[in-house]
Amino acid sequence: MDRLFWHRGIHLPFWQSILCFVIGCILSLFLLNTPVFFLTIALVVLVIVLIVPIIKTKIIIISALLLGLIYPIVYYHSVYDSHLSYQQLQEKQLVSGVIEAIDDYQYTYRLTLRAKFLAHAHIPQYKKLKLQLYLVKSKYNETVLNVGDEIETKVKLKPIVSTVNEGLFDGRLFNFFHGIKYKGSINHTSHFKLLTRKSENTYQHIETSHYAWLYFSILFGDTSNMPSKFKEATKQLGISHLFAVSGLHMGIVFGISYWLARICFFYTKKLKIGRVRSYIPYVFGILCCAVYLDLSSYATSAQRALIMLCVFCLCWQINRSYISYRALILALLIIILINPFVTLTVGFYFSFFAVLSILLSINIIKRLGIKHWAVKLLVLQSAITLSLLPFSVLFFNGVSSYSLLINLVAIPLFSLFCMPIILLIGLLSEIFDTAVLIAFFDPVIQFIVNQVYTIANYKVWLSLPLITWQLALLLSVSSLLLFYIPYSLYITLPIITFYLIQLNFVSDELKIHVLDVGHGLAVILSKNNNAVLYDLGARYQEYSYVKSVIFPTLQLNNLTLSKTIISHDDNDHSGGLKDIIASDKIDTVAGFGKACHFKAFWLEDVLFESIPNKGTFKSDNNNSCVVLVSYKGFKLLLTGDIEKQREYALRNNAKISNVDLLISPHHGSNSSSTDIFIKLTNPSWVIHSVNAYNRWQFPSIKVVTRYASNNVKQLATYKGAIKIQVANDAYRITTQGQAKKYWFLVQ
């Protein structure tokens, strides 16, 4: 391969330039316009100048770095940037596109549509623009839609803004990477037309199986129909990677297609086609892998595997040495050129670091002269587990304690048994009815599924505290050094020690998490691993903020729920009560309805005191349970949905005067936050718990103006969850929106 990178007798610094280009892309994506960005660039340039001897080489490498800095910005404006104007968002737009996914909810269907026409303009194929359209279920909607159908409709759109909470799934990055930008609702009065039907499904025989979701997960990495219980079980066991198309899949597909071609040409030896015959099995294998890549929706790991496979075949044919590290770097370059924003995805890091750890462990095996296959397998799996462990903590907030042992069994079983058989069934389903084969193999699949559930019940998941992506990267690289550099333990030990100290550090602070739960309210107060919850957020059909945000936040921070205060019986405040009951936490509920009478230290040195309701009000909003939280001079007032009548009744209550932090009454509605109430409470900060682009347009402009005229600093949860840390008389406020602020995300 070296000959490919010679030019006029000069050996170009190809590999160094690739790495600098990748570094530039990552810096541009994650750190653009920050002090760290400019400092890191200066440091990288300084290192290049000092260690690279030839001036021309220095210029080439630095140019590659600068190109990497610019490339994501150019790519964004070419592929991702397609905003509708304010005027266009106020009107219904004619939309047409292909349905890529259908989610079936209780009252609606959610269609994910790849737009082909929007706002009087055709969308180019290279543009990433998708919409989420909610189709209301009714007797008027008799058209049965399928994935692959092309539809046309008129709909009023608004931007999608996902909730952002510390350590939890970041829907903003997911939606951005996939180009999902707008959402809207379709009802039976809308202009709606089915343009084209998708072609007949060639895998209809597989769909007859009760475990079709598992067949498609293994074949194509499609986990959209996988039951959430099974997804959680595979995560607990650390085997989720088995259901992503990877180099293993590509290797099996290439091997089968290569030998099929070889067998076919075995009977054509007399054909005088010369050296071309030796190329055909490789070309056929690569083409089959390319088709498989398309069927698997171009998964990052599959792209990487195909590129490395192409390099291997090319080297074999031109009699050049295949160097795995260089093939991996080349794959890294091509994948980032295809889409630099792939570095936002989990699969990118798991794919490349897993392969890198395999390559390093192979060197260890050769160096130590290990012969026994079981020991080789143990070394390989240990390397993969160690290198990916920090990323598991970063993306999933923990690790499977048995993943090493389970994968030692699961990977050979999967690669030598399940995957080849299921792939064979998939290929044969193109030719004839495979119902008999599926019926024969289903009991085996059922046994495997049951074993996964059984083992996952032993609570093998180990939750760990949050870490930054910088520390995760450092830990992963340092663990790989153990397999590459002798005595590297002296380098990695301080880093690991630093993380373990962080792991066991318990803060004595009072922490307040005002969670991002859309239009609703949920506040977690915690100290010494105990927590008090004020309000539960909403519940919509199958979706609950208690299950998706509150419980995961408690688990992530290793908190035990001691008390739950529900302000009043509105869905956006008490919608998760059903989930509290289902989790056997109903005994923690206090302050609901007439039970709003307490004065207690539910957390150490933290006083929770209900503010008496002296009036008689007809509305649930004005009967909200108002709570004053006091801790070492710090005061927080939780107000629920009280309105001006209740605020007026509180006008002489000196206890709630001069608070440090106020949760705005009724989400900043103009029916609340009267000037009298603001002057009485005199808060330093007010937080509006609201959803972006909500139909009530909360917080009201008048309310925002009233707080501003009283010199009150304001925050809103639609930009992300807000955390307050109180120690002694001082407190610090951080917002998740600021902590994860990316230049390419516009809210």
Side-chain angles (χ1 to χ4, degrees):
M1 286 294 290
D2 288 342
R3 186 175 294 178
L4 297 176
F5 311 113
W6 278 78
H7 178 65
R8 294 182 184 176
I10 300 172
H11 189 204
L12 297 180
F14 185 77
W15 308 110
Q16 299 93 324
S17 299
I18 289 178
L19 292 176
C20 283
F21 177 83
V22 171
I23 290 170
C25 285
I26 292 173
L27 287 174
S28 181
L29 285 173
F30 292 100
L31 299 171
L32 185 66
N33 289 333
T34 64
V36 178
F37 175 75
F38 298 104
L39 183 63
T40 308
I41 292 173
L43 183 62
V44 173
V45 170
L46 180 62
V47 170
I48 293 169
V49 170
L50 290 177
I51 68 172
V52 177
I54 304 172
I55 295 177
K56 188 171 183 178
T57 304
K58 292 178 184 179
I59 294 171
I60 292 171
I61 296 175
I62 292 173
S63 298
L65 176 68
L66 296 177
L67 184 62
L69 297 172
I70 298 168
Y71 185 67
I73 300 171
V74 175
Y75 191 95
Y76 169 80
H77 288 290
S78 302
V79 177
Y80 280 98
D81 189 18
S82 54
H83 297 294
L84 295 179
S85 66
Y86 177 80
Q87 182 62 35
Q88 289 170 326
L89 290 172
Q90 305 310 305
E91 303 169 351
K92 282 191 174 183
Q93 300 294 336
L94 184 64
V95 175
S96 70
V98 177
I99 300 173
E100 290 195 341
I102 301 176
D103 297 305
D104 188 356
Y105 296 129
Q106 187 175 357
Y107 303 112
T108 60
Y109 296 107
R110 187 178 71 181
L111 313 178
T112 301
L113 195 75
R114 178 170 56 81
K116 299 177 73 174
F117 183 87
L118 173 63
H120 311 293
H122 289 279
I123 309 299
Q125 278 286 90
Y126 61 83
K127 280 279 187 182
K128 279 189 174 286
L129 180 57
K130 297 180 185 178
L131 316 172
Q132 283 185 348
L133 304 181
Y134 291 83
L135 180 61
V136 180
K137 291 182 179 179
S138 73
K139 62 182 180 181
Y140 301 100
N141 295 324
E142 296 179 353
T143 304
V144 178
L145 297 174
N146 297 300
V147 173
D149 293 345
E150 185 176 351
I151 63 170
E152 181 182 87
T153 184
K154 272 194 172 181
V155 64
K156 187 176 180 180
L157 300 170
K158 65 179 180 179
I160 287 181
V161 180
S162 303
T163 57
V164 184
N165 291 280
E166 185 180 31
L168 303 186
F169 173 72
D170 194 335
R172 299 176 309 164
L173 295 181
F174 178 87
N175 289 335
F176 170 81
F177 178 72
H178 291 90
I180 305 172
K181 288 198 170 92
Y182 303 103
K183 64 179 179 179
S185 295
I186 306 169
N187 54 46
H188 65 273
T189 60
S190 300
H191 171 71
F192 183 87
K193 184 164 59 175
L194 179 64
L195 298 180
T196 59
R197 280 285 187 190
K198 71 165 186 175
S199 58
E200 186 181 351
N201 184 9
T202 56
Y203 298 101
Q204 55 187 338
H205 302 307
I206 294 179
E207 289 183 344
T208 60
S209 169
H210 180 69
Y211 296 100
W213 53 269
L214 190 57
Y215 285 98
F216 283 107
S217 299
I218 294 174
L219 276 176
F220 309 119
D222 179 11
T223 60
S224 57
N225 294 318
M226 182 181 285
S228 55
K229 183 182 177 183
F230 190 79
K231 281 184 181 178
E232 182 61 26
T234 57
K235 172 194 161 186
Q236 294 275 335
L237 300 179
I239 57 172
S240 300
H241 60 91
L242 295 179
F243 305 100
V245 177
S246 63
L248 174 64
H249 294 72
M250 282 295 178
I252 293 172
V253 171
F254 179 80
I256 292 174
S257 53
Y258 172 84
W259 282 107
L260 279 175
R262 286 289 298 268
I263 292 169
C264 290
F265 277 94
F266 178 79
Y267 296 102
T268 60
K269 285 183 177 180
K270 294 182 179 180
L271 289 177
K272 296 182 179 180
I273 53 177
R275 186 169 171 77
V276 175
R277 187 191 293 114
S278 66
Y279 294 153
I280 292 176
Y282 292 97
V283 173
F284 182 70
I286 293 295
L287 288 176
C288 289
C289 287
V291 172
Y292 186 64
L293 177 66
D294 180 65
L295 292 173
S296 62
S297 303
Y298 296 91
T300 302
S301 53
Q303 292 181 50
R304 187 261 312 149
L306 180 58
I307 294 166
M308 295 183 72
L309 190 59
C310 289
V311 174
F312 173 80
C313 292
L314 178 62
C315 290
W316 183 267
Q317 288 299 317
I318 64 175
N319 295 319
R320 292 287 176 178
S321 298
Y322 172 73
I323 303 174
S324 302
Y325 297 105
R326 291 188 174 183
L328 186 64
I329 294 172
L330 195 60
L332 178 65
L333 172 66
I334 294 172
I335 286 173
I336 286 182
L337 285 173
I338 292 171
N339 187 350
F341 292 94
V342 72
T343 54
L344 302 175
T345 63
V346 179
F348 174 81
Y349 298 96
F350 275 75
S351 176
F352 279 93
F353 273 85
V355 174
L356 184 58
S357 62
I358 290 171
L359 297 180
L360 290 174
S361 58
I362 289 173
N363 282 342
I364 284 286
I365 290 169
K366 289 180 179 177
R367 192 163 59 197
L368 298 178
I370 298 172
K371 302 295 183 182
H372 199 280
W373 64 269
V375 180
K376 288 181 180 179
L377 185 61
L378 181 61
V379 172
L380 282 170
Q381 191 56 49
S382 299
I384 296 171
T385 303
L386 279 174
S387 64
L388 297 185
L389 189 146
F391 291 112
S392 178
V393 178
L394 176 65
F395 294 114
F396 306 120
N397 309 316
V399 293
S400 174
S401 52
Y402 298 155
S403 65
L404 176 60
L405 296 175
I406 291 171
N407 276 289
L408 284 173
V409 177
I411 291 177
L413 177 67
F414 177 81
S415 59
L416 300 177
F417 180 68
C418 292
M419 171 57 189
I421 291 176
I422 292 174
L423 181 61
L424 182 63
I425 291 173
L427 291 172
L428 292 176
S429 66
E430 295 277 357
I431 305 170
F432 58 85
D433 188 349
T434 54
V436 176
L437 291 176
I438 292 170
F440 178 78
F441 197 62
D442 267 359
V444 179
I445 293 293
Q446 182 180 11
F447 175 77
I448 293 172
V449 169
N450 290 338
Q451 293 307 306
V452 169
Y453 284 137
T454 301
I455 300 172
N457 286 334
Y458 287 103
K459 304 296 181 185
V460 295
W461 186 255
L462 180 63
S463 295
L464 295 172
L466 291 170
I467 61 173
T468 62
W469 68 268
Q470 295 95 332
L471 182 57
L473 189 62
L474 194 61
L475 284 168
S476 187
V477 171
S478 63
S479 65
L480 287 174
L481 287 175
L482 293 172
F483 291 87
Y484 187 66
I485 303 175
Y487 312 111
S488 62
L489 189 62
Y490 296 112
I491 302 172
T492 60
L493 193 58
I495 299 171
I496 295 171
T497 303
F498 170 74
Y499 176 65
L500 290 175
I501 291 171
Q502 276 195 330
L503 202 64
N504 295 300
F505 178 73
V506 178
S507 174
D508 194 40
E509 298 174 320
L510 168 65
K511 294 180 182 178
I512 304 165
H513 291 84
V514 185
L515 301 176
D516 182 3
V517 290
H519 180 76
L521 182 63
V523 182
I524 296 176
L525 302 97
S526 63
K527 193 171 186 287
N528 296 333
N529 299 118
N530 289 315
V532 173
L533 173 63
Y534 183 85
D535 278 344
L536 311 174
R539 183 183 181 89
Y540 303 108
Q541 299 181 41
E542 295 88 351
Y543 185 84
S544 163
Y545 281 108
V546 164
K547 290 197 295 186
S548 62
V549 174
I550 294 173
F551 283 166
T553 300
L554 291 170
Q555 183 182 26
L556 177 64
N557 293 278
N558 195 26
L559 299 174
T560 301
L561 186 60
S562 302
K563 276 298 173 191
T564 303
I565 306 167
I566 304 176
S567 62
H568 64 298
D569 193 14
D570 274 359
N571 180 56
D572 57 327
H573 293 258
S574 63
L577 182 58
K578 179 180 177 181
D579 302 297
I580 292 287
I581 296 170
S583 66
D584 296 326
K585 293 290 184 182
I586 187 62
D587 60 317
T588 69
V589 175
F592 189 39
K594 295 181 180 180
C596 186
H597 298 285
F598 50 80
K599 185 176 182 180
F601 289 92
W602 287 323
L603 299 177
E604 183 184 340
D605 299 329
V606 182
L607 176 62
F608 293 82
E609 185 176 2
S610 60
I611 304 301
N613 184 359
K614 295 183 179 180
T616 303
F617 305 102
K618 294 181 179 179
S619 75
D620 279 343
N621 285 350
N622 278 320
N623 289 317
S624 294
C625 187
V626 179
V627 180
L628 178 66
V629 181
S630 306
Y631 174 67
K632 295 184 178 179
F634 174 85
K635 293 167 73 175
L636 162 67
L637 187 63
L638 302 163
T639 58
D641 271 354
I642 65 171
E643 297 176 318
K644 58 186 177 183
Q645 296 87 350
R646 179 76 181 276
E647 291 181 358
Y648 184 76
L650 292 170
R651 67 190 184 279
N652 296 321
N653 194 323
K655 284 185 178 181
I656 62 173
S657 63
N658 300 316
V659 300
D660 295 281
L661 181 64
L662 171 69
I663 305 299
S664 66
H666 201 188
H667 315 283
S669 163
N670 192 40
S671 63
S672 309
S673 296
T674 59
D675 198 56
I676 293 174
F677 184 74
I678 295 173
K679 283 182 166 53
L680 169 66
T681 55
N682 190 28
S684 300
W685 291 85
V686 64
I687 296 175
H688 308 290
S689 185
V690 292
N691 191 21
Y693 308 107
N694 62 81
R695 59 183 174 181
W696 304 278
Q697 298 184 351
F698 292 163
S700 164
I701 295 296
K702 293 181 179 179
V703 168
V704 171
T705 304
R706 282 201 291 270
Y707 279 113
S709 63
N710 284 277
N711 298 317
V712 181
K713 291 169 279 191
Q714 303 179 62
L715 293 170
T717 58
Y718 71 80
K719 292 186 177 180
I722 298 164
K723 182 167 72 173
I724 303 95
Q725 295 167 279
V726 186
N728 299 322
D729 293 332
Y731 60 92
R732 181 178 62 189
I733 298 177
T734 55
T735 67
Q736 192 62 17
Q738 291 175 340
K740 287 189 173 182
K741 191 173 183 180
Y742 302 99
W743 61 267
F744 47 84
L745 292 182
V746 180
Q747 292 190 5

